Amino acid sequence: MDLYELLVPEAIQAKQELADRTAVIQRAGELLAAAGAIEPGYASAMQRVMDELGPYCVIAPGIALLHARPEDGVLRSCLGLITLKTPVVFGHSTNDPVDLAFALGALDKQSHIRALAQLAEYLSQEGFLCGLREAATTDVLKEFIYSYSRA
Amino acid sequence: MIIATLCGMGFGTSMMLKLFIDDILKAENIKAETTPWDLGSFKGNKADIVVAPVDMEPHLRDYPAKIVLVKNLVDKGEIKEKILRAIDELSHAEGGKTI
């Protein structure tokens, strides 16, 4: 599975205004649930993971990769992305505040690995990060991320 | 040599780290086994080096391996510099320090 197949178009939103990390997690969960990729309870599971394990999911400056376990209600492997108009503090020691929030649903421990590797590679490229951050509307963001990951 | 990457569940962050480290080791022609671990089950496992996100440091106190803490998990430069230094120090047999 490639990154563009893992991405759920309905779960991509640009320049959202969300109050705190709980609101970001809730929105990410709602979008993936509305697309039928996860069960609604998955958002609470992502919240619980953050509460229990800490904000290590802020993997790089400004970038969060939220997820819970396959058994927490993943219906198909999926990835959503919300970019934030005003960055939100997650509580990380060095990488706060967050303006790019990815939400991953993994069906098992393997099927998403190829797509995740592509995402990690892209996230290490300045041009990809700039494109995500500069996209002013959801349509522009979708167009950018799909054309980048299909190139 | 066994290099473990650690995250909360063993298939997200730790898998990203493992994939980057595999690339680095291949490019440097270093032979090592890399394995993703999750916080719930790693304590019974053995590794020479454990690579983890910086905020997981409290979970790794007292763990008997060389600990490498990474701030930016998509910064190949940071990961490469820290992992190569850890391997180098380990090969000079002076384990137990946090990088």
Side-chain angles (χ1 to χ4, degrees):
Chain A
M1 176 183 265
D2 285 307
L3 180 60
Y4 67 85
E5 296 168 297
L6 187 67
L7 283 164
V8 176
E10 303 94 321
I12 298 172
Q13 284 190 337
K15 300 294 179 196
Q16 299 298 296
E17 199 69 77
L18 295 166
D20 52 27
R21 73 179 200 188
T22 303
V24 174
I25 293 168
Q26 283 304 323
R27 174 71 65 82
E30 283 164 18
L31 294 173
L32 287 172
I38 56 165
E39 290 169 9
Y42 189 74
S44 327
M46 288 195 287
Q47 182 71 51
R48 209 163 50 241
V49 166
M50 174 93 69
D51 294 341
E52 285 170 10
L53 301 178
Y56 80 91
C57 67
V58 187
I59 57 172
I63 307 173
L65 178 64
L66 306 162
H67 68 91
R69 295 175 180 79
E71 58 271 27
D72 291 324
V74 177
L75 302 173
R76 61 182 158 99
S77 298
C78 55
L79 184 72
L81 166 64
I82 298 172
T83 70
L84 298 168
K85 193 171 181 187
T86 309
V88 166
V89 169
F90 272 56
H92 192 276
S93 60
T94 59
N95 294 338
D96 264 337
V98 169
D99 65 338
L100 302 176
F102 290 89
L104 171 71
L107 201 54
D108 52 53
K109 291 197 172 185
Q110 286 304 324
S111 48
H112 63 289
I113 295 303
R114 181 182 159 89
L116 191 68
Q118 291 166 347
L119 178 64
E121 181 63 36
Y122 297 157
L123 290 175
S124 73
Q125 296 167 5
E126 201 52 44
F128 185 65
L129 296 177
C130 283
L132 297 182
R133 290 186 161 125
E134 281 168 10
T137 67
T138 296
D139 284 344
V140 172
L141 179 62
K142 282 186 199 176
E143 166 66 24
F144 172 77
I145 195 167
Y146 276 101
S147 60
Y148 200 100
S149 55
R150 279 201 174 105
Chain B
M1 183 187 297
I2 299 173
I3 300 173
T5 56
L6 184 66
C7 78
M9 276 151 285
F11 61 86
T13 310
S14 60
M15 187 58 76
M16 282 172 90
L17 265 176
K18 172 188 153 51
L19 296 164
F20 276 138
I21 291 170
D22 283 342
D23 284 348
I24 293 164
L25 296 176
K26 200 174 164 197
E28 298 288 323
N29 207 12
I30 296 169
K31 279 202 171 32
E33 182 191 332
T34 55
T35 176
W37 284 357
D38 68 88
L39 265 182
S41 64
F42 83 97
K43 288 207 166 145
N45 300 344
K46 280 209 161 38
D48 301 291
I49 298 174
V50 179
V51 188
V54 65
D55 279 24
M56 283 203 170
E57 189 272 337
H59 298 280
L60 287 162
R61 284 177 199 156
D62 305 327
Y63 188 79
K66 186 166 266 307
I67 308 299
V68 176
L69 300 171
V70 179
K71 287 180 185 168
N72 182 339
L73 284 88
V74 298
D75 181 345
K76 289 181 184 174
E78 180 186 350
I79 298 170
K80 182 178 173 181
E81 189 244 312
K82 289 184 173 174
I83 191 75
L84 291 182
R85 179 146 46 103
I87 291 169
D88 188 53
E89 289 184 10
L90 204 63
S91 65
H92 291 93
E94 196 198 80
K97 273 199 298 187
T98 299
I99 294 178

